[in-house]
Amino acid sequence: MSRSGNKKPVGFATHITAGGIAGAMEALCCQPLDTIKVRMQLSKSGMAPGTKPRGFIDTGLMIIRRETPLALYKGLGAVLSGIVPKMAIRFASFETYKGWLADKATGQTSVGSIFIAGLAAGTTEAVAVVCPMEVVKIRLQAQQHSLADPLEAPRYRNAGHAVYTIVREEGLSTLYRGVSLTALRQATNQGANFTAYQELKKLAHLYQPDLADLPSYQHMVIGLISGAMGPFSNAPIDTIKTRKYNDRVPVYFDNSRTN
């Protein structure tokens, strides 16, 4: 089948709806991994002489054993509440920046321009949505309390309560603490993501010129590879960002425990 068929272009609302659903599914699947990652980034284990840092599996098992399996989903509400606006801003800003950077004569956008548009889109979503969402998410994830014990009350009960408490006690600016690090992380993340995705998609079509649309499994593989580009490029930035967002550790985080 030729790729030059008269296909109706997909509308922006459809992109946002699909992106929001995909983002929600990603959050549901990946939140336990993210919680373990945050705990590892904040962990003091392995700092004493002769000790080793706790590994990924051990950290996960420790959370489950001490705080029940539901603890792996701490901060999920903050993530889900920011999914749709984040996706809307990401795709809308990327298409806008890409249009500005496209060649006026041909309408084509170079690889370098796609990367720059991705950087700009990542920065835009970081300032508009991601930074406050991440502050709330990490504060919730950092709390070590059992969800099965009603007497063990956490400092923040849920995402809404966390926002209220943070703004009341620390000021609105706290939700934007470390915004430059978040912007840098999201910029490199989306720059690498969009560039890799579009180039891999072009390559797939180049080797399969008769396909109007790539099969679902190829979209999945391309998305998997492009999605991994960001974390590989900015893991140190993400660790620093997590430590920065959790600056109020002495207030609600029991450092007397072995974390």
Side-chain angles (χ1 to χ4, degrees):
M1 182 178 177
S2 174
R3 291 176 57 193
S4 59
N6 296 322
K7 288 187 62 179
K8 184 179 179 180
V10 177
F12 181 71
T14 303
H15 276 299
I16 297 307
T17 302
I21 294 172
M25 293 303 298
E26 175 188 345
L28 290 170
C29 294
C30 297
Q31 188 67 12
L33 305 180
D34 188 70
T35 299
I36 295 171
K37 179 205 70 172
V38 167
R39 289 291 182 89
M40 291 179 71
Q41 289 174 332
L42 296 173
S43 177
K44 302 293 190 299
S45 67
M47 291 186 175
T51 62
K52 293 182 180 180
R54 185 175 288 110
F56 181 82
I57 295 176
D58 287 341
T59 300
L61 291 175
M62 182 195 68
I63 294 171
I64 292 171
R65 187 167 56 248
R66 179 185 293 166
E67 305 170 52
T68 77
L70 286 176
L72 294 172
Y73 287 90
K74 287 178 178 178
L76 180 61
V79 176
L80 291 178
S81 64
I83 283 292
V84 173
K86 181 177 76 170
M87 291 297 179
I89 291 169
R90 175 183 297 176
F91 289 110
S93 61
F94 175 72
E95 291 300 328
T96 300
Y97 297 136
K98 190 172 74 168
W100 289 348
L101 294 169
D103 185 277
K104 304 304 178 186
T106 64
Q108 299 297 312
T109 309
S110 66
V111 177
S113 294
I114 289 175
F115 181 71
I116 294 172
L119 290 177
T123 302
T124 303
E125 72 174 20
V127 175
V129 178
V130 177
C131 187
M133 182 185 75
E134 286 275 295
V135 170
V136 174
K137 177 182 72 72
I138 289 172
R139 291 289 184 94
L140 290 166
Q141 287 175 320
Q143 296 185 119
Q144 294 194 27
H145 71 284
S146 174
L147 296 173
D149 185 355
L151 298 179
E152 193 175 352
R155 178 174 178 77
Y156 306 122
R157 295 191 297 271
N158 50 52
H161 182 252
V163 171
Y164 172 77
T165 305
I166 291 169
V167 172
R168 185 189 64 185
E169 297 182 357
E170 304 172 58
L172 183 63
S173 61
T174 302
L175 293 176
Y176 287 89
R177 181 180 295 163
V179 66
S180 58
L181 287 171
T182 305
L184 182 59
R185 187 197 69 170
Q186 292 302 114
T188 54
N189 202 359
Q190 299 313 318
N193 191 344
F194 277 117
T195 304
Y197 184 82
Q198 299 217 10
E199 290 306 303
L200 287 171
K201 193 174 176 181
K202 285 180 186 176
L203 189 63
H205 278 301
L206 181 65
Y207 283 99
Q208 303 166 107
D210 294 333
L211 289 181
D213 293 305
L214 297 177
S216 297
Y217 78 90
Q218 292 188 20
H219 278 291
M220 184 181 68
V221 172
I222 291 171
L224 179 67
I225 296 172
S226 61
M229 294 296 103
F232 275 126
S233 64
N234 58 35
I237 300 171
D238 189 62
T239 300
I240 297 170
K241 171 194 68 64
T242 299
R243 296 285 180 91
K244 183 74 175 175
Y245 285 170
N246 204 43
D247 277 348
R248 278 184 66 93
V249 166
V251 176
Y252 63 89
F253 193 66
D254 187 358
N255 282 319
S256 65
R257 289 177 169 180
T258 303
N259 57 344

